[in-house]
Amino acid sequence: MAELVYRPVIGLAKTLFKAWDLKIDCKGSENIPPSGGAVLVSNHISYLDFIFNGLAALPQKRLVRFMAKESVFRHKVSGPLMRGMKHIPVDRRQGEAAYAHALDSLRSGEVIGVFPEATISESFTLKSFKSGAARLAQEAGVPLVPMAVWGTQRLWTKGHPRNFGRSHTPVTMRVGEPVEAPRDQYAGAITRRLRERVQELLEAAQRAYPARSGAEESWWLPAHLGGSAPTAEQLRAAEAH
């Protein structure tokens, strides 16, 4: 079936990224299978992560179908685009339907994109992973492909204004080797192994990232890297009050 929406949206994204003069550094795209089903799993630090995850799959000529919260599909602008690109709406009250949809897509040879943290990490560190990605891969008999993005939080993230000017912002992406998801293994153990791989890729992306800004612009850096982003513990304490 012709991709009447997805490819033009990719073209628009590339045009915008060129206008913003983003410095995109992506390595490891060859780890995404050129055919057949796969679950692409990434950290989540920005509202734009799915676009960059999708760009990482383009060298393999793959279009990624992302699982995204159902409210995005109700928006008058994003809704028709998300449906046209065949992304998968997730209603957290009725997750079974989204799971079945994703499973069918995997079995038909699609690449499904999943953010197992479920929400954006405001500390810019990895949150705990939900096991849905591992269970999907197990049931469909497909590999998990871990990846990490870094720098996207400087463009648009939770609690900060958008930065859509000609910012020259670097964005670093690292895609790792596939992680197998055997049916005879516990999904929790596969999920822990997957999270470790994403953590390794995130650290690799951070090491490769160009020189950091001055202290006054360190909001996008996690505390353990000398930035002023709140720690996971601080965020949990704030939610408790």
Side-chain angles (χ1 to χ4, degrees):
M1 188 174 173
E3 295 289 346
L4 301 178
V5 177
Y6 210 132
R7 296 193 188 282
V9 168
I10 290 169
L12 175 61
K14 286 183 171 179
T15 300
L16 286 173
F17 293 165
K18 191 170 184 181
W20 298 343
D21 194 30
L22 302 185
K23 309 300 183 186
I24 299 175
D25 168 20
C26 180
K27 289 186 171 62
S29 290
E30 68 278 4
N31 289 313
I32 297 171
S35 63
V39 182
L40 184 64
V41 174
S42 174
N43 65 318
H44 199 12
I45 53 175
S46 163
Y47 293 114
L48 302 178
D49 290 337
F50 75 98
I51 298 176
F52 289 96
N53 289 175
L55 286 178
L58 288 183
Q60 294 292 75
K61 298 181 170 55
R62 304 305 305 270
L63 298 178
V64 184
R65 316 298 177 181
F66 287 93
M67 300 184 76
K69 61 183 180 181
E70 191 258 346
S71 60
V72 179
F73 291 78
R74 292 199 305 265
H75 190 276
K76 64 182 180 181
V77 176
S78 63
L81 291 174
M82 295 293 280
R83 287 189 291 273
M85 289 186 279
K86 305 185 192 125
H87 296 315
I88 300 171
V90 179
D91 183 341
R92 288 177 184 159
R93 295 166 300 179
Q94 298 176 315
E96 301 85 0
Y99 185 92
H101 186 167
L103 193 57
D104 285 345
S105 297
L106 287 169
R107 286 172 171 162
S108 66
E110 298 275 15
V111 178
I112 299 299
V114 176
F115 297 108
E117 296 168 279
T119 58
I120 288 174
S121 170
E122 294 176 75
S123 67
F124 309 128
T125 59
L126 277 192
K127 297 157 68 91
S128 61
F129 276 22
K130 298 186 182 302
S131 64
R135 290 187 288 110
L136 276 172
Q138 283 181 301
E139 200 166 342
V142 302
L144 295 149
V145 181
M147 77 168 287
V149 293
W150 188 246
T152 56
Q153 73 272 37
R154 299 177 69 183
L155 299 172
W156 189 18
T157 193
K158 198 171 179 179
H160 294 275
R162 288 174 288 191
N163 175 20
F164 288 173
R166 192 171 173 80
S167 62
H168 321 292
T169 301
V171 172
T172 305
M173 297 179 280
R174 293 292 182 265
V175 185
E177 294 180 358
V179 173
E180 295 304 318
R183 285 181 180 237
D184 61 353
Q185 288 188 15
Y186 176 50
I190 296 170
T191 301
R192 285 192 292 275
R193 193 158 66 245
L194 180 65
R195 186 181 182 281
E196 288 169 3
R197 287 295 295 123
V198 174
Q199 179 65 40
E200 290 168 3
L201 292 164
L202 177 57
E203 291 172 7
Q206 290 167 339
R207 285 194 299 272
Y209 201 74
R212 297 164 187 162
S213 305
E216 73 282 355
E217 295 181 11
S218 68
W219 64 265
W220 55 271
L221 277 172
H224 75 275
L225 291 180
S228 57
T231 65
E233 293 75 17
Q234 287 170 334
L235 289 166
R236 281 194 293 268
E239 286 174 3
H241 285 86

